Amino acid sequence: MSVLVDEDLRRRLRRFLEGDRRTGDLDRIYLGLRGRAQGCPAVQEIGDFIAHRDRRDKGLITQVGRDVFTSVEVWSRTLRNLEVDLEDFIRAAEANLRLASDDTIRSALGSSRQMAAARLKKAIQKLRTKRETSETEWAAFTYFGNRFIWCPAFSGKQLSSELSVILQRAGLIGRDDVAQLEIAAAFIALHAVLAMHGSSIVLPNGEPARLFAGYANTDRWIEVKIDLVFNELSKPVMTPICLFMTDLRADIYATADLVIEPRPVLVDHWSTPLEIGPDGRLAAIACDEG
């Protein structure tokens, strides 16, 4: 990275850390970090969303979104009056292995991720060649292949933590600046929501799936969901799944017109363009009627 570019980032960061927070500055910071985000996938992902928002076909959010789609698509096939064959279960098993956390795998199968992956691989090989599996191999295959698993791709806390690591590693902030960056965590999370809201990813079937922000969860945390739609039945079946979760309550971090009571929890999402207002809250972008 050139000296001039780094100086540009430092000045924007100084302004940001001193409380003058602008989404445009944070955009430039993420773009400047895209080539230096090794080991920090959340930061890389937001930088990629800022650079290219529509019909994304790679990246962390895309991979998790595709895996969630595969997981729910196979799991719900019988509910949608569709047949399920071995290859369907294999697709689901491979997706669910990537989605499940290490703790979930250990609790369900009593083994590490590495061991569970090895057993699943052997089970798939044997089933495809019509050979008998061992008990542990069959357990891994039935666990991963016959359920719906989902989890957010990353959280606001992970994003802020990674951003701090990269900025220090790049020499753009010092240790004394970390506390100020932590104070800005809410703005960083809301900025990430803006980067993803209204964008789309391409699913394994080639169809686009939109991402939208909202707070349709029991704690009313602001989140970004993917809208998965299945059209086999007489009416479309919509399955919104969270891919990015914050710990920011919509009642506090969104303007009153975006949080209207009472509303069913399943429709608490926003279909209007958003921005971060001067008060640090999400707000609908005003429409100029002039």
Side-chain angles (χ1 to χ4, degrees), residues 219-232:
D219 293 312
R220 298 168 68 84
W221 302 130
I222 294 173
E223 61 184 350
V224 175
K225 286 186 173 181
I226 183 172
D227 192 13
L228 302 178
V229 181
F230 300 97
N231 294 300
E232 292 84 2

Side-chain angles (χ1 to χ4, degrees), residues 251-272:
D251 311 83
I252 299 172
Y253 288 95
T255 55
D257 60 304
L258 292 179
V259 188
I260 301 172
E261 298 282 7
R263 298 180 66 189
V265 70
L266 290 179
V267 298
D268 285 343
H269 64 267
W270 299 307
S271 57
T272 187

Side-chain angles (χ1 to χ4, degrees), residues 48-67:
D48 288 347
F49 261 97
I50 292 167
H52 175 59
R53 299 183 70 243
D54 198 33
R55 295 184 67 92
R56 290 183 50 77
D57 59 5
K58 61 182 180 179
L60 180 60
I61 288 286
T62 299
Q63 182 61 61
V64 173
R66 287 176 170 179
D67 285 341

Side-chain angles (χ1 to χ4, degrees), residues 113-265:
R113 173 181 296 277
Q114 183 177 13
M115 180 63 71
R119 290 170 177 170
L120 177 61
K121 182 178 180 180
K122 288 181 179 179
I124 291 172
Q125 291 171 342
K126 290 180 178 180
L127 290 168
R128 279 176 167 161
T129 55
K130 296 181 169 54
R131 289 181 290 153
E132 186 175 352
T133 64
S134 71
E135 184 176 338
T136 54
E137 291 164 356
W138 181 246
F141 181 77
T142 55
Y143 176 75
F144 289 117
N146 193 31
R147 70 189 59 248
F148 169 43
I149 295 177
W150 74 271
C151 64
F154 57 96
S155 66
K157 287 183 178 180
Q158 178 184 340
L159 178 62
S160 291
S161 176
E162 288 186 10
L163 187 58
S164 177
V165 168
I166 293 177
L167 291 174
Q168 291 180 77
R169 189 169 66 196
L172 296 173
I173 64 171
R175 293 179 63 86
D176 293 342
D177 297 316
V178 172
Q180 289 301 112
L181 190 65
E182 291 174 351
I183 292 173
F187 190 96
I188 292 168
L190 293 179
H191 173 268
V193 169
L194 296 184
M196 290 181 274
H197 178 58
S199 63
S200 67
I201 68 170
V202 179
L203 296 174
N205 62 4
E207 294 295 321
R210 71 186 183 100
L211 305 182
F212 59 88
Y215 56 102
N217 55 80
T218 55
D219 293 312
R220 298 168 68 84
W221 302 130
I222 294 173
E223 61 184 350
V224 175
K225 286 186 173 181
I226 183 172
D227 192 13
L228 302 178
V229 181
F230 300 97
N231 294 300
E232 292 84 2
L233 301 178
S234 58
K235 294 183 178 180
V237 177
M238 291 176 287
T239 309
I241 305 293
C242 175
L243 294 183
F244 175 68
M245 177 64 77
T246 76
D247 59 357
L248 308 175
R249 282 183 58 91
D251 311 83
I252 299 172
Y253 288 95
T255 55
D257 60 304
L258 292 179
V259 188
I260 301 172
E261 298 282 7
R263 298 180 66 189
V265 70

Side-chain angles (χ1 to χ4, degrees), residues 68-82:
V68 169
F69 171 81
T70 299
S71 182
V72 70
E73 194 273 331
V74 174
W75 174 79
S76 66
R77 284 182 76 84
T78 55
L79 300 176
R80 294 180 286 126
N81 300 319
L82 298 176

